[in-house]
PDB file of all heavy atoms in Angstrom:
ATOM      1  N   VAL A1044      20.736   3.615   0.108  1.00 98.00           N
ATOM      2  CA  VAL A1044      19.678   4.406   0.743  1.00 98.00           C
ATOM      3  C   VAL A1044      19.941   4.659   2.224  1.00 98.00           C
ATOM      4  O   VAL A1044      19.155   5.373   2.873  1.00 98.00           O
ATOM      5  CB  VAL A1044      18.292   3.739   0.568  1.00 98.00           C
ATOM      6  CG1 VAL A1044      18.006   3.466  -0.889  1.00 98.00           C
ATOM      7  CG2 VAL A1044      18.172   2.471   1.400  1.00 98.00           C
ATOM      8  N   LYS A1045      21.002   4.107   2.753  1.00 98.00           N
ATOM      9  CA  LYS A1045      21.305   4.299   4.185  1.00 98.00           C
ATOM     10  C   LYS A1045      21.449   5.787   4.496  1.00 98.00           C
ATOM     11  O   LYS A1045      22.111   6.523   3.774  1.00 98.00           O
ATOM     12  CB  LYS A1045      22.598   3.561   4.549  1.00 98.00           C
ATOM     13  CG  LYS A1045      22.422   2.073   4.757  1.00 98.00           C
ATOM     14  CD  LYS A1045      23.741   1.403   5.133  1.00 98.00           C
ATOM     15  CE  LYS A1045      23.555  -0.086   5.312  1.00 98.00           C
ATOM     16  NZ  LYS A1045      24.841  -0.774   5.599  1.00 98.00           N
ATOM     17  N   GLY A1046      20.815   6.202   5.579  1.00 97.00           N
ATOM     18  CA  GLY A1046      20.872   7.596   5.992  1.00 97.00           C
ATOM     19  C   GLY A1046      19.823   8.467   5.327  1.00 97.00           C
ATOM     20  O   GLY A1046      19.633   9.621   5.739  1.00 97.00           O
ATOM     21  N   ARG A1047      19.164   7.949   4.294  1.00 98.00           N
ATOM     22  CA  ARG A1047      18.130   8.736   3.596  1.00 98.00           C
ATOM     23  C   ARG A1047      16.735   8.118   3.752  1.00 98.00           C
ATOM     24  O   ARG A1047      15.747   8.844   3.824  1.00 98.00           O
ATOM     25  CB  ARG A1047      18.466   8.830   2.099  1.00 98.00           C
ATOM     26  CG  ARG A1047      19.790   9.501   1.800  1.00 98.00           C
ATOM     27  CD  ARG A1047      19.960   9.744   0.307  1.00 98.00           C
ATOM     28  NE  ARG A1047      19.951   8.515  -0.475  1.00 98.00           N
ATOM     29  CZ  ARG A1047      19.112   8.267  -1.467  1.00 98.00           C
ATOM     30  NH1 ARG A1047      18.187   9.160  -1.799  1.00 98.00           N
ATOM     31  NH2 ARG A1047      19.185   7.126  -2.136  1.00 98.00           N
ATOM     32  N   PHE A1048      16.661   6.807   3.772  1.00 98.00           N
ATOM     33  CA  PHE A1048      15.376   6.109   3.866  1.00 98.00           C
ATOM     34  C   PHE A1048      15.231   5.486   5.248  1.00 98.00           C
ATOM     35  O   PHE A1048      16.207   5.036   5.842  1.00 98.00           O
ATOM     36  CB  PHE A1048      15.295   4.996   2.825  1.00 98.00           C
ATOM     37  CG  PHE A1048      15.183   5.457   1.393  1.00 98.00           C
ATOM     38  CD1 PHE A1048      15.389   6.784   1.029  1.00 98.00           C
ATOM     39  CD2 PHE A1048      14.881   4.542   0.398  1.00 98.00           C
ATOM     40  CE1 PHE A1048      15.291   7.191  -0.291  1.00 98.00           C
ATOM     41  CE2 PHE A1048      14.780   4.926  -0.927  1.00 98.00           C
ATOM     42  CZ  PHE A1048      14.994   6.261  -1.266  1.00 98.00           C
ATOM     43  N   THR A1049      13.991   5.423   5.726  1.00 98.00           N
ATOM     44  CA  THR A1049      13.693   4.779   7.000  1.00 98.00           C
ATOM     45  C   THR A1049      12.477   3.883   6.836  1.00 98.00           C
ATOM     46  O   THR A1049      11.418   4.354   6.387  1.00 98.00           O
ATOM     47  CB  THR A1049      13.420   5.813   8.094  1.00 98.00           C
ATOM     48  OG1 THR A1049      14.552   6.678   8.239  1.00 98.00           O
ATOM     49  CG2 THR A1049      13.160   5.107   9.429  1.00 98.00           C
ATOM     50  N   ILE A1050      12.639   2.619   7.189  1.00 98.00           N
ATOM     51  CA  ILE A1050      11.513   1.691   7.167  1.00 98.00           C
ATOM     52  C   ILE A1050      10.966   1.568   8.580  1.00 98.00           C
ATOM     53  O   ILE A1050      11.725   1.552   9.557  1.00 98.00           O
ATOM     54  CB  ILE A1050      11.940   0.305   6.604  1.00 98.00           C
ATOM     55  CG1 ILE A1050      10.725  -0.585   6.372  1.00 98.00           C
ATOM     56  CG2 ILE A1050      12.972  -0.374   7.507  1.00 98.00           C
ATOM     57  CD1 ILE A1050      11.042  -1.872   5.612  1.00 98.00           C
ATOM     58  N   SER A1051       9.655   1.511   8.682  1.00 97.00           N
ATOM     59  CA  SER A1051       9.025   1.341   9.993  1.00 97.00           C
ATOM     60  C   SER A1051       7.783   0.478   9.826  1.00 97.00           C
ATOM     61  O   SER A1051       7.306   0.267   8.704  1.00 97.00           O
ATOM     62  CB  SER A1051       8.675   2.699  10.608  1.00 97.00           C
ATOM     63  OG  SER A1051       7.770   3.408   9.786  1.00 97.00           O
ATOM     64  N   ARG A1052       7.278   0.029  10.957  1.00 93.00           N
ATOM     65  CA  ARG A1052       6.191  -0.946  10.912  1.00 93.00           C
ATOM     66  C   ARG A1052       5.231  -0.683  12.044  1.00 93.00           C
ATOM     67  O   ARG A1052       5.654  -0.489  13.189  1.00 93.00           O
ATOM     68  CB  ARG A1052       6.800  -2.345  11.021  1.00 93.00           C
ATOM     69  CG  ARG A1052       5.873  -3.519  10.945  1.00 93.00           C
ATOM     70  CD  ARG A1052       6.715  -4.794  10.836  1.00 93.00           C
ATOM     71  NE  ARG A1052       5.866  -5.962  10.810  1.00 93.00           N
ATOM     72  CZ  ARG A1052       6.316  -7.194  10.549  1.00 93.00           C
ATOM     73  NH1 ARG A1052       7.597  -7.402  10.310  1.00 93.00           N
ATOM     74  NH2 ARG A1052       5.489  -8.221  10.534  1.00 93.00           N
ATOM     75  N   ASP A1053       3.951  -0.658  11.750  1.00 92.00           N
ATOM     76  CA  ASP A1053       2.907  -0.525  12.756  1.00 92.00           C
ATOM     77  C   ASP A1053       2.162  -1.856  12.772  1.00 92.00           C
ATOM     78  O   ASP A1053       1.295  -2.097  11.929  1.00 92.00           O
ATOM     79  CB  ASP A1053       1.976   0.636  12.410  1.00 92.00           C
ATOM     80  CG  ASP A1053       0.955   0.927  13.484  1.00 92.00           C
ATOM     81  OD1 ASP A1053       0.599  -0.018  14.229  1.00 92.00           O
ATOM     82  OD2 ASP A1053       0.507   2.067  13.577  1.00 92.00           O
ATOM     83  N   ASN A1054       2.508  -2.704  13.712  1.00 86.00           N
ATOM     84  CA  ASN A1054       1.905  -4.041  13.752  1.00 86.00           C
ATOM     85  C   ASN A1054       0.409  -3.978  14.047  1.00 86.00           C
ATOM     86  O   ASN A1054      -0.353  -4.831  13.587  1.00 86.00           O
ATOM     87  CB  ASN A1054       2.619  -4.915  14.776  1.00 86.00           C
ATOM     88  CG  ASN A1054       4.022  -5.310  14.335  1.00 86.00           C
ATOM     89  OD1 ASN A1054       4.292  -5.460  13.144  1.00 86.00           O
ATOM     90  ND2 ASN A1054       4.928  -5.460  15.290  1.00 86.00           N
ATOM     91  N   ALA A1055      -0.021  -2.973  14.794  1.00 89.00           N
ATOM     92  CA  ALA A1055      -1.446  -2.857  15.117  1.00 89.00           C
ATOM     93  C   ALA A1055      -2.268  -2.548  13.865  1.00 89.00           C
ATOM     94  O   ALA A1055      -3.425  -2.963  13.756  1.00 89.00           O
ATOM     95  CB  ALA A1055      -1.660  -1.775  16.161  1.00 89.00           C
ATOM     96  N   LYS A1056      -1.658  -1.826  12.931  1.00 92.00           N
ATOM     97  CA  LYS A1056      -2.347  -1.472  11.698  1.00 92.00           C
ATOM     98  C   LYS A1056      -1.956  -2.381  10.541  1.00 92.00           C
ATOM     99  O   LYS A1056      -2.433  -2.193   9.420  1.00 92.00           O
ATOM    100  CB  LYS A1056      -2.045  -0.024  11.320  1.00 92.00           C
ATOM    101  CG  LYS A1056      -2.586   0.998  12.299  1.00 92.00           C
ATOM    102  CD  LYS A1056      -2.296   2.418  11.820  1.00 92.00           C
ATOM    103  CE  LYS A1056      -2.869   3.449  12.771  1.00 92.00           C
ATOM    104  NZ  LYS A1056      -2.601   4.839  12.326  1.00 92.00           N
ATOM    105  N   ASN A1057      -1.047  -3.322  10.800  1.00 91.00           N
ATOM    106  CA  ASN A1057      -0.575  -4.225   9.740  1.00 91.00           C
ATOM    107  C   ASN A1057      -0.056  -3.440   8.543  1.00 91.00           C
ATOM    108  O   ASN A1057      -0.353  -3.769   7.381  1.00 91.00           O
ATOM    109  CB  ASN A1057      -1.686  -5.186   9.311  1.00 91.00           C
ATOM    110  CG  ASN A1057      -2.170  -6.063  10.441  1.00 91.00           C
ATOM    111  OD1 ASN A1057      -1.363  -6.608  11.178  1.00 91.00           O
ATOM    112  ND2 ASN A1057      -3.487  -6.152  10.609  1.00 91.00           N
ATOM    113  N   THR A1058       0.697  -2.407   8.839  1.00 95.00           N
ATOM    114  CA  THR A1058       1.188  -1.499   7.800  1.00 95.00           C
ATOM    115  C   THR A1058       2.680  -1.283   7.970  1.00 95.00           C
ATOM    116  O   THR A1058       3.165  -1.151   9.099  1.00 95.00           O
ATOM    117  CB  THR A1058       0.450  -0.155   7.859  1.00 95.00           C
ATOM    118  OG1 THR A1058      -0.955  -0.382   7.652  1.00 95.00           O
ATOM    119  CG2 THR A1058       0.955   0.795   6.787  1.00 95.00           C
ATOM    120  N   VAL A1059       3.370  -1.248   6.854  1.00 97.00           N
ATOM    121  CA  VAL A1059       4.792  -0.920   6.846  1.00 97.00           C
ATOM    122  C   VAL A1059       4.966   0.353   6.015  1.00 97.00           C
ATOM    123  O   VAL A1059       4.245   0.575   5.039  1.00 97.00           O
ATOM    124  CB  VAL A1059       5.646  -2.080   6.296  1.00 97.00           C
ATOM    125  CG1 VAL A1059       5.337  -2.344   4.834  1.00 97.00           C
ATOM    126  CG2 VAL A1059       7.125  -1.812   6.492  1.00 97.00           C
ATOM    127  N   TYR A1060       5.910   1.187   6.428  1.00 98.00           N
ATOM    128  CA  TYR A1060       6.136   2.470   5.791  1.00 98.00           C
ATOM    129  C   TYR A1060       7.578   2.556   5.292  1.00 98.00           C
ATOM    130  O   TYR A1060       8.473   1.893   5.825  1.00 98.00           O
ATOM    131  CB  TYR A1060       5.890   3.611   6.771  1.00 98.00           C
ATOM    132  CG  TYR A1060       4.525   3.596   7.409  1.00 98.00           C
ATOM    133  CD1 TYR A1060       4.334   3.016   8.662  1.00 98.00           C
ATOM    134  CD2 TYR A1060       3.429   4.159   6.765  1.00 98.00           C
ATOM    135  CE1 TYR A1060       3.086   2.985   9.253  1.00 98.00           C
ATOM    136  CE2 TYR A1060       2.174   4.143   7.348  1.00 98.00           C
ATOM    137  CZ  TYR A1060       2.008   3.561   8.593  1.00 98.00           C
ATOM    138  OH  TYR A1060       0.757   3.543   9.164  1.00 98.00           O
ATOM    139  N   LEU A1061       7.771   3.391   4.289  1.00 98.00           N
ATOM    140  CA  LEU A1061       9.118   3.722   3.841  1.00 98.00           C
ATOM    141  C   LEU A1061       9.185   5.237   3.683  1.00 98.00           C
ATOM    142  O   LEU A1061       8.590   5.797   2.759  1.00 98.00           O
ATOM    143  CB  LEU A1061       9.459   3.030   2.518  1.00 98.00           C
ATOM    144  CG  LEU A1061      10.902   3.221   2.055  1.00 98.00           C
ATOM    145  CD1 LEU A1061      11.873   2.493   3.000  1.00 98.00           C
ATOM    146  CD2 LEU A1061      11.101   2.724   0.619  1.00 98.00           C
ATOM    147  N   GLN A1062       9.857   5.877   4.629  1.00 98.00           N
ATOM    148  CA  GLN A1062      10.074   7.313   4.552  1.00 98.00           C
ATOM    149  C   GLN A1062      11.325   7.553   3.723  1.00 98.00           C
ATOM    150  O   GLN A1062      12.403   7.060   4.069  1.00 98.00           O
ATOM    151  CB  GLN A1062      10.247   7.906   5.945  1.00 98.00           C
ATOM    152  CG  GLN A1062      10.539   9.394   5.950  1.00 98.00           C
ATOM    153  CD  GLN A1062       9.377  10.224   5.445  1.00 98.00           C
ATOM    154  OE1 GLN A1062       8.227   9.983   5.803  1.00 98.00           O
ATOM    155  NE2 GLN A1062       9.660  11.211   4.599  1.00 98.00           N
ATOM    156  N   MET A1063      11.178   8.292   2.644  1.00 98.00           N
ATOM    157  CA  MET A1063      12.290   8.530   1.722  1.00 98.00           C
ATOM    158  C   MET A1063      12.602  10.018   1.689  1.00 98.00           C
ATOM    159  O   MET A1063      11.757  10.825   1.280  1.00 98.00           O
ATOM    160  CB  MET A1063      11.925   8.034   0.316  1.00 98.00           C
ATOM    161  CG  MET A1063      11.480   6.574   0.276  1.00 98.00           C
ATOM    162  SD  MET A1063      11.195   5.969  -1.400  1.00 98.00           S
ATOM    163  CE  MET A1063       9.770   6.956  -1.853  1.00 98.00           C
ATOM    164  N   ASN A1064      13.791  10.372   2.146  1.00 98.00           N
ATOM    165  CA  ASN A1064      14.240  11.767   2.178  1.00 98.00           C
ATOM    166  C   ASN A1064      15.427  11.945   1.239  1.00 98.00           C
ATOM    167  O   ASN A1064      16.069  10.974   0.835  1.00 98.00           O
ATOM    168  CB  ASN A1064      14.629  12.165   3.599  1.00 98.00           C
ATOM    169  CG  ASN A1064      13.483  12.079   4.576  1.00 98.00           C
ATOM    170  OD1 ASN A1064      12.318  12.300   4.209  1.00 98.00           O
ATOM    171  ND2 ASN A1064      13.796  11.747   5.824  1.00 98.00           N
ATOM    172  N   SER A1065      15.711  13.184   0.929  1.00 98.00           N
ATOM    173  CA  SER A1065      16.847  13.518   0.052  1.00 98.00           C
ATOM    174  C   SER A1065      16.841  12.658  -1.206  1.00 98.00           C
ATOM    175  O   SER A1065      17.858  12.070  -1.594  1.00 98.00           O
ATOM    176  CB  SER A1065      18.170  13.317   0.822  1.00 98.00           C
ATOM    177  OG  SER A1065      18.192  14.113   1.973  1.00 98.00           O
ATOM    178  N   LEU A1066      15.706  12.604  -1.844  1.00 98.00           N
ATOM    179  CA  LEU A1066      15.556  11.743  -3.013  1.00 98.00           C
ATOM    180  C   LEU A1066      16.423  12.202  -4.167  1.00 98.00           C
ATOM    181  O   LEU A1066      16.647  13.408  -4.364  1.00 98.00           O
ATOM    182  CB  LEU A1066      14.089  11.683  -3.440  1.00 98.00           C
ATOM    183  CG  LEU A1066      13.222  10.768  -2.561  1.00 98.00           C
ATOM    184  CD1 LEU A1066      11.756  11.111  -2.706  1.00 98.00           C
ATOM    185  CD2 LEU A1066      13.477   9.321  -2.908  1.00 98.00           C
ATOM    186  N   LYS A1067      16.914  11.220  -4.921  1.00 98.00           N
ATOM    187  CA  LYS A1067      17.784  11.455  -6.061  1.00 98.00           C
ATOM    188  C   LYS A1067      17.128  10.885  -7.323  1.00 98.00           C
ATOM    189  O   LYS A1067      16.313   9.957  -7.222  1.00 98.00           O
ATOM    190  CB  LYS A1067      19.126  10.759  -5.847  1.00 98.00           C
ATOM    191  CG  LYS A1067      19.842  11.134  -4.566  1.00 98.00           C
ATOM    192  CD  LYS A1067      21.103  10.298  -4.384  1.00 98.00           C
ATOM    193  CE  LYS A1067      21.815  10.644  -3.088  1.00 98.00           C
ATOM    194  NZ  LYS A1067      23.049   9.838  -2.897  1.00 98.00           N
ATOM    195  N   PRO A1068      17.496  11.390  -8.483  1.00 97.00           N
ATOM    196  CA  PRO A1068      16.928  10.825  -9.722  1.00 97.00           C
ATOM    197  C   PRO A1068      17.141   9.312  -9.831  1.00 97.00           C
ATOM    198  O   PRO A1068      16.274   8.611 -10.371  1.00 97.00           O
ATOM    199  CB  PRO A1068      17.679  11.578 -10.817  1.00 97.00           C
ATOM    200  CG  PRO A1068      17.992  12.902 -10.201  1.00 97.00           C
ATOM    201  CD  PRO A1068      18.297  12.591  -8.751  1.00 97.00           C
ATOM    202  N   GLU A1069      18.243   8.814  -9.309  1.00 97.00           N
ATOM    203  CA  GLU A1069      18.499   7.373  -9.385  1.00 97.00           C
ATOM    204  C   GLU A1069      17.605   6.551  -8.468  1.00 97.00           C
ATOM    205  O   GLU A1069      17.637   5.322  -8.490  1.00 97.00           O
ATOM    206  CB  GLU A1069      19.974   7.054  -9.094  1.00 97.00           C
ATOM    207  CG  GLU A1069      20.516   7.675  -7.828  1.00 97.00           C
ATOM    208  CD  GLU A1069      21.243   8.982  -8.077  1.00 97.00           C
ATOM    209  OE1 GLU A1069      20.740   9.819  -8.864  1.00 97.00           O
ATOM    210  OE2 GLU A1069      22.321   9.185  -7.461  1.00 97.00           O
ATOM    211  N   ASP A1070      16.793   7.215  -7.644  1.00 98.00           N
ATOM    212  CA  ASP A1070      15.806   6.496  -6.834  1.00 98.00           C
ATOM    213  C   ASP A1070      14.529   6.213  -7.628  1.00 98.00           C
ATOM    214  O   ASP A1070      13.635   5.519  -7.138  1.00 98.00           O
ATOM    215  CB  ASP A1070      15.432   7.306  -5.586  1.00 98.00           C
ATOM    216  CG  ASP A1070      16.591   7.467  -4.623  1.00 98.00           C
ATOM    217  OD1 ASP A1070      17.326   6.480  -4.395  1.00 98.00           O
ATOM    218  OD2 ASP A1070      16.765   8.592  -4.089  1.00 98.00           O
ATOM    219  N   THR A1071      14.455   6.749  -8.846  1.00 98.00           N
ATOM    220  CA  THR A1071      13.288   6.508  -9.685  1.00 98.00           C
ATOM    221  C   THR A1071      13.129   5.020  -9.965  1.00 98.00           C
ATOM    222  O   THR A1071      14.062   4.353 -10.414  1.00 98.00           O
ATOM    223  CB  THR A1071      13.425   7.275 -11.015  1.00 98.00           C
ATOM    224  OG1 THR A1071      13.396   8.676 -10.743  1.00 98.00           O
ATOM    225  CG2 THR A1071      12.303   6.906 -11.979  1.00 98.00           C
ATOM    226  N   ALA A1072      11.955   4.486  -9.657  1.00 98.00           N
ATOM    227  CA  ALA A1072      11.710   3.059  -9.798  1.00 98.00           C
ATOM    228  C   ALA A1072      10.258   2.759  -9.439  1.00 98.00           C
ATOM    229  O   ALA A1072       9.557   3.614  -8.890  1.00 98.00           O
ATOM    230  CB  ALA A1072      12.633   2.255  -8.875  1.00 98.00           C
ATOM    231  N   VAL A1073       9.854   1.534  -9.721  1.00 98.00           N
ATOM    232  CA  VAL A1073       8.615   1.011  -9.147  1.00 98.00           C
ATOM    233  C   VAL A1073       9.000   0.363  -7.822  1.00 98.00           C
ATOM    234  O   VAL A1073       9.907  -0.477  -7.780  1.00 98.00           O
ATOM    235  CB  VAL A1073       7.929  -0.004 -10.070  1.00 98.00           C
ATOM    236  CG1 VAL A1073       6.681  -0.566  -9.397  1.00 98.00           C
ATOM    237  CG2 VAL A1073       7.584   0.640 -11.400  1.00 98.00           C
ATOM    238  N   TYR A1074       8.328   0.753  -6.780  1.00 98.00           N
ATOM    239  CA  TYR A1074       8.614   0.245  -5.440  1.00 98.00           C
ATOM    240  C   TYR A1074       7.566  -0.794  -5.056  1.00 98.00           C
ATOM    241  O   TYR A1074       6.359  -0.548  -5.183  1.00 98.00           O
ATOM    242  CB  TYR A1074       8.620   1.385  -4.429  1.00 98.00           C
ATOM    243  CG  TYR A1074       9.882   2.208  -4.503  1.00 98.00           C
ATOM    244  CD1 TYR A1074      10.134   3.049  -5.584  1.00 98.00           C
ATOM    245  CD2 TYR A1074      10.849   2.152  -3.486  1.00 98.00           C
ATOM    246  CE1 TYR A1074      11.308   3.790  -5.674  1.00 98.00           C
ATOM    247  CE2 TYR A1074      12.013   2.902  -3.564  1.00 98.00           C
ATOM    248  CZ  TYR A1074      12.228   3.709  -4.658  1.00 98.00           C
ATOM    249  OH  TYR A1074      13.393   4.449  -4.738  1.00 98.00           O
ATOM    250  N   TYR A1075       8.049  -1.937  -4.585  1.00 98.00           N
ATOM    251  CA  TYR A1075       7.192  -3.051  -4.219  1.00 98.00           C
ATOM    252  C   TYR A1075       7.341  -3.367  -2.743  1.00 98.00           C
ATOM    253  O   TYR A1075       8.442  -3.399  -2.203  1.00 98.00           O
ATOM    254  CB  TYR A1075       7.561  -4.303  -5.011  1.00 98.00           C
ATOM    255  CG  TYR A1075       7.374  -4.195  -6.504  1.00 98.00           C
ATOM    256  CD1 TYR A1075       8.413  -3.752  -7.317  1.00 98.00           C
ATOM    257  CD2 TYR A1075       6.166  -4.539  -7.098  1.00 98.00           C
ATOM    258  CE1 TYR A1075       8.253  -3.650  -8.689  1.00 98.00           C
ATOM    259  CE2 TYR A1075       5.995  -4.439  -8.472  1.00 98.00           C
ATOM    260  CZ  TYR A1075       7.039  -3.992  -9.251  1.00 98.00           C
ATOM    261  OH  TYR A1075       6.873  -3.901 -10.611  1.00 98.00           O
ATOM    262  N   CYS A1076       6.227  -3.673  -2.131  1.00 97.00           N
ATOM    263  CA  CYS A1076       6.202  -4.148  -0.757  1.00 97.00           C
ATOM    264  C   CYS A1076       6.119  -5.671  -0.784  1.00 97.00           C
ATOM    265  O   CYS A1076       5.444  -6.242  -1.655  1.00 97.00           O
ATOM    266  CB  CYS A1076       4.989  -3.555  -0.052  1.00 97.00           C
ATOM    267  SG  CYS A1076       4.643  -4.213   1.581  1.00 97.00           S
ATOM    268  N   THR A1077       6.769  -6.311   0.148  1.00 97.00           N
ATOM    269  CA  THR A1077       6.695  -7.760   0.232  1.00 97.00           C
ATOM    270  C   THR A1077       6.541  -8.198   1.679  1.00 97.00           C
ATOM    271  O   THR A1077       7.057  -7.548   2.591  1.00 97.00           O
ATOM    272  CB  THR A1077       7.939  -8.413  -0.410  1.00 97.00           C
ATOM    273  OG1 THR A1077       7.811  -9.833  -0.341  1.00 97.00           O
ATOM    274  CG2 THR A1077       9.212  -8.020   0.312  1.00 97.00           C
ATOM    275  N   ALA A1078       5.814  -9.271   1.867  1.00 96.00           N
ATOM    276  CA  ALA A1078       5.613  -9.860   3.193  1.00 96.00           C
ATOM    277  C   ALA A1078       6.135 -11.294   3.153  1.00 96.00           C
ATOM    278  O   ALA A1078       5.742 -12.083   2.284  1.00 96.00           O
ATOM    279  CB  ALA A1078       4.145  -9.843   3.563  1.00 96.00           C
ATOM    280  N   GLU A1079       7.016 -11.582   4.071  1.00 93.00           N
ATOM    281  CA  GLU A1079       7.632 -12.900   4.113  1.00 93.00           C
ATOM    282  C   GLU A1079       6.904 -13.789   5.114  1.00 93.00           C
ATOM    283  O   GLU A1079       6.782 -13.447   6.290  1.00 93.00           O
ATOM    284  CB  GLU A1079       9.106 -12.768   4.486  1.00 93.00           C
ATOM    285  CG  GLU A1079       9.915 -11.940   3.489  1.00 93.00           C
ATOM    286  CD  GLU A1079      11.346 -11.707   3.935  1.00 93.00           C
ATOM    287  OE1 GLU A1079      11.760 -12.294   4.942  1.00 93.00           O
ATOM    288  OE2 GLU A1079      12.046 -10.927   3.269  1.00 93.00           O
ATOM    289  N   THR A1080       6.393 -14.903   4.606  1.00 91.00           N
ATOM    290  CA  THR A1080       5.777 -15.913   5.468  1.00 91.00           C
ATOM    291  C   THR A1080       6.408 -17.255   5.117  1.00 91.00           C
ATOM    292  O   THR A1080       7.214 -17.353   4.197  1.00 91.00           O
ATOM    293  CB  THR A1080       4.256 -15.986   5.257  1.00 91.00           C
ATOM    294  OG1 THR A1080       3.976 -16.612   3.986  1.00 91.00           O
ATOM    295  CG2 THR A1080       3.619 -14.604   5.280  1.00 91.00           C
ATOM    296  N   VAL A1081       6.053 -18.255   5.856  1.00 85.00           N
ATOM    297  CA  VAL A1081       6.491 -19.610   5.525  1.00 85.00           C
ATOM    298  C   VAL A1081       5.296 -20.356   4.961  1.00 85.00           C
ATOM    299  O   VAL A1081       4.285 -20.503   5.658  1.00 85.00           O
ATOM    300  CB  VAL A1081       7.054 -20.325   6.762  1.00 85.00           C
ATOM    301  CG1 VAL A1081       7.453 -21.762   6.407  1.00 85.00           C
ATOM    302  CG2 VAL A1081       8.247 -19.552   7.317  1.00 85.00           C
ATOM    303  N   PRO A1082       5.345 -20.893   3.746  1.00 88.00           N
ATOM    304  CA  PRO A1082       6.528 -20.930   2.880  1.00 88.00           C
ATOM    305  C   PRO A1082       6.561 -19.883   1.762  1.00 88.00           C
ATOM    306  O   PRO A1082       7.421 -19.943   0.893  1.00 88.00           O
ATOM    307  CB  PRO A1082       6.397 -22.318   2.250  1.00 88.00           C
ATOM    308  CG  PRO A1082       4.924 -22.476   2.072  1.00 88.00           C
ATOM    309  CD  PRO A1082       4.286 -21.758   3.229  1.00 88.00           C
ATOM    310  N   TYR A1083       5.611 -18.939   1.752  1.00 91.00           N
ATOM    311  CA  TYR A1083       5.500 -18.031   0.618  1.00 91.00           C
ATOM    312  C   TYR A1083       5.923 -16.605   0.957  1.00 91.00           C
ATOM    313  O   TYR A1083       5.821 -16.158   2.101  1.00 91.00           O
ATOM    314  CB  TYR A1083       4.055 -17.983   0.111  1.00 91.00           C
ATOM    315  CG  TYR A1083       3.498 -19.319  -0.291  1.00 91.00           C
ATOM    316  CD1 TYR A1083       2.485 -19.913   0.459  1.00 91.00           C
ATOM    317  CD2 TYR A1083       3.973 -19.993  -1.408  1.00 91.00           C
ATOM    318  CE1 TYR A1083       1.960 -21.140   0.106  1.00 91.00           C
ATOM    319  CE2 TYR A1083       3.457 -21.221  -1.765  1.00 91.00           C
ATOM    320  CZ  TYR A1083       2.454 -21.798  -1.011  1.00 91.00           C
ATOM    321  OH  TYR A1083       1.940 -23.012  -1.367  1.00 91.00           O
TER     322      TYR A1083
END
């Protein structure tokens, strides 16, 4: 996805984004967001 997708984060809104450009059929999937904390 390098060069096509961009991840960004708005800490004030506690929101993360994934801008996906030049999408291809092989990008078809269920997309999941994850937040990493300690320990979960």
